[in-house]
């Protein structure tokens, strides 16, 4: 009986001796958790820019947009200047192609005048050759004849009626062509002079 009491007393002493250590461990662990929680929160928190950094980024963006605007403006000015130069050159040299085609015609006429006593046949042949050169020059420069045939309906946009004559054909139709007209690139240069029928 005495031995059992002694054993129980020893167990109580052991518990009392070990209890503070367990409690100490619990306290230490609690302190560890308490000290590590702020550090974890600080590590997880995102880094935010300061006001100065935000302003610097905005100023850099504004500068980038200004540079882009100035480059676009300069390019627009260059395009406008080149367009004006092209228009000026087009006005200055618009007749260059036609003049180049007319030079051979002038050469032929000058050669014909150098002949002292040309025959009728030679003169006619020279005129026909010159006319072909002139027609070729007209064709290259889109200069076409307005030459209606008898019976065509009078077109006020291309024909100019000089007089009305009695004719066995429908009224307001072309009877004769007194002078050919011409267009260039579908634009009327000169209307054809015609007579038209009075009608039956």
């Amino acid at each position: 009986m005495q031995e059992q009491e002694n054993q129980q007393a020893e167990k109580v002493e052991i518990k009392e001796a070990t209890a503070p250590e367990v409690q100490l461990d619990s306290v230490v662990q609690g302190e560890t958790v308490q000290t590590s929680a702020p550090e974890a929160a600080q590590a997880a928190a995102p880094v935010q820019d300061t006001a100065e950094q935000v302003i610097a980024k905005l100023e850099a963006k504004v500068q980038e947009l200004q540079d882009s605007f100035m480059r676009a403006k300069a390019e627009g000015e260059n395009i406008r200047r080149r367009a004006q130069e092209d228009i000026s050159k087009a006005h200055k040299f618009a007749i260059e192609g036609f003049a180049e085609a007319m030079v051979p015609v002038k050469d032929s006429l000058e050669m014909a005048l150098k002949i002292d006593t040309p025959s009728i046949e030679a003169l006619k042949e020279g005129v026909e050759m010159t006319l072909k050169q002139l027609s070729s020059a007209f064709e290259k420069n889109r200069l076409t004849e307005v030459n209606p045939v008898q019976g065509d309906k009078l077109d006020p946009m291309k024909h100019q009626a000089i007089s009305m004559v009695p004719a066995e054909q429908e009224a307001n139709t072309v009877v004769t062509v007194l002078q050919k007209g011409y267009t260039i690139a579908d634009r009327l240069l000169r209307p054809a002079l015609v007579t038209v029928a009075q009608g039956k």
Side-chain angles (χ1 to χ4, degrees):
M1 186 67 177
Q2 185 67 33
E3 292 179 359
Q4 292 179 352
E5 291 178 356
N6 292 335
Q7 290 178 355
Q8 290 178 353
E10 290 177 357
K11 290 181 180 179
V12 171
E13 291 177 357
I14 293 172
K15 289 181 179 179
E16 291 177 354
T18 57
E21 294 179 358
V22 174
Q23 185 176 3
L24 180 60
D25 292 341
S26 300
V27 172
V28 172
Q29 290 177 357
E31 290 178 354
T32 303
V33 172
Q34 291 177 358
T35 55
S36 62
E39 294 176 357
Q42 184 177 2
V47 178
Q48 296 182 352
D49 294 336
T50 63
E52 290 79 4
Q53 290 174 331
V54 172
I55 293 173
K57 289 181 179 180
L58 292 176
E59 289 178 346
K61 187 64 176 179
V62 170
Q63 184 63 41
E64 180 182 352
L65 293 175
Q66 287 179 343
D67 293 342
S68 298
F69 171 76
M70 295 303 296
R71 286 194 296 269
K73 183 178 180 181
E75 182 64 21
E77 289 294 330
N78 292 335
I79 293 174
R80 184 180 62 83
R81 185 175 63 255
R82 287 194 295 267
Q84 289 179 344
E85 291 176 356
D86 292 341
I87 292 173
S88 178
K89 290 179 180 178
H91 289 166
K92 186 176 181 180
F93 301 107
I95 199 173
E96 182 178 1
F98 183 71
E100 183 179 0
M102 292 297 295
V103 169
V105 178
K106 184 175 183 294
D107 293 339
S108 297
L109 292 174
E110 289 176 345
M111 290 178 62
L113 291 175
K114 289 180 179 180
I115 301 175
D116 294 333
T117 56
S119 63
I120 299 298
E121 291 78 8
L123 184 60
K124 183 179 179 181
E125 183 180 353
V127 171
E128 289 176 348
M129 182 180 66
T130 304
L131 180 59
K132 287 182 180 179
Q133 290 176 330
L134 186 59
S135 298
S136 177
F138 282 7
E139 184 178 356
K140 288 179 180 179
N141 291 275
R142 302 176 64 186
L143 186 63
T144 57
E145 295 180 350
V146 178
N147 188 24
V149 298
Q150 184 177 2
D152 284 352
K153 190 72 175 178
L154 179 68
D155 184 356
M157 301 300 296
K158 295 181 179 181
H159 309 153
Q160 181 177 348
I162 299 300
S163 62
M164 300 185 70
V165 296
E168 294 296 324
Q169 61 188 56
E170 187 179 352
N172 293 324
T173 56
V174 175
V175 177
T176 56
V177 178
L178 304 177
Q179 186 181 72
K180 295 178 182 179
Y182 289 93
T183 61
I184 181 169
D186 298 328
R187 180 180 179 181
L188 185 67
L189 291 179
R190 187 181 74 184
L193 302 182
V194 298
T195 60
V196 296
Q198 289 180 344
K200 299 178 182 179

